[in-house]
Amino acid sequence: DVKVTQSSRYLVKRTGEKVFLECVQDMDHENMFWYRQDPGLGLRLIYFSYDVKMKEKGDIPEGYSVSREKKERFSLILESASTNQTSMYLCASIPGQGASGANVLTFGAGSRLTVL
Amino acid sequence: DQQVKQNSPSLSVQEGRISILNCDYTNSMFDYFLWYKKYPAEGPTFLISISSIKDKNEDGRFTVFLNKSAKHLSLHIVPSQPGDSAVYFCAASALPNYGQNFVFGPGTRLSVLP
C-alpha cells in the first residue's frame, strides 16, 4: 500500500513563527502536493512538485514555500505564520503518467496547524 | 467561482437506506471524476472514480453516476452503514492529469443514523 506520512499531526504556533510541515511517501511517486482544507472550501492546492528540486505554484501559494530535496520528501514552509493560516494541511502524492494508479491522489493523515 | 459544487453541506440517512450525494461542475473540459471519503483527523481516502466515457461505475455498495449533459454526478451508497459517516469530497479533472489539476468540491458531511 502507498503510504504518505505527515510527521506532525497537530501543531500550535505563534504569529510570526516559522513553520515546517514534513511529508514523506514510500512508493517512489514522482508528483507530490500540498493542500489545505477549510470548512466549506474543500481542498485547495498550495504547491506541487513533479520532480526533485522542481516546484510549481498551485491556487493559493501566497505565504507558503516548499522544498523537495529528495524524491520521497516534500516540505511545506510558512516563513512567518499568520492566524489565517490556521488550517488542516494535507500532503498527497501520485505516480507519473502511465504508472498504475496514475490518476488517483493518495493523501497523508493531515497536519492540523493552529496559529495563535 | 467554484468549478465543483456540492450544494448539500450535510445529509442524514437511516442505516440500511440509500445515501445519495450530489456534485455539479461547470467546466465542460472535466472528463474524470473521483469521490473521496474523509474521517475526522484522517486524510481523504479514495473511494471510486468515473471517466466521461462511462455513465455508471460500481464498486460494492458504492455506485457513481455521471450525467455529462447536466454536468452532474452522484454517489449512491446502498445500504448505508454507520461506518459510512464521514465527509465526502467530489473531485474533477481534465485528463491527462499529473495530479495538479484536480478541483475539489467543498464536501458533504454524511451521517448514517443507527
Side-chain angles (χ1 to χ4, degrees), chain B residues 30-101:
Chain B
F30 289 150
D31 54 7
Y32 180 66
F33 306 89
L34 305 92
W35 284 94
Y36 279 84
K37 178 170 76 173
K38 185 181 184 302
Y39 293 119
E42 294 184 17
T45 54
F46 169 70
L47 201 53
I48 194 168
S49 65
I50 189 167
S51 73
S52 59
I53 61 173
K54 290 185 168 184
D55 54 18
K56 177 182 173 182
N57 190 26
E58 271 183 275
D59 185 0
R61 296 186 298 114
F62 302 91
T63 303
V64 56
F65 295 91
L66 175 63
N67 182 334
K68 281 194 68 179
S69 60
K71 297 192 182 69
H72 176 83
L73 63 154
S74 60
L75 175 69
H76 293 212
I77 306 173
V78 184
S80 301
Q81 299 173 355
D84 297 327
S85 297
V87 177
Y88 290 78
F89 292 100
C90 169
S93 75
L95 295 174
N97 178 14
Y98 302 96
Q100 80 285 4
N101 61 0

Side-chain angles (χ1 to χ4, degrees), chain A residues 84-103:
Chain A
N84 63 11
Q85 292 178 311
T86 292
S87 188
M88 168 71 87
Y89 289 89
L90 293 162
C91 177
S93 70
I94 198 168
Q97 278 295 307
S100 172
N103 292 317

Side-chain angles (χ1 to χ4, degrees), chain A residues 9-10 22 36 43 53 57-59 62-64 66 75 77-78 81-82 85 93 104:
Chain A
R9 295 296 307 276
Y10 300 94
E22 302 286 336
R36 64 177 279 177
L43 280 68
K53 296 194 185 295
K57 293 180 180 178
D59 300 319
E62 296 78 19
Y64 303 95
V66 290
S75 302
I77 303 153
L78 289 67
S82 62
Q85 292 178 311
S93 70
V104 176

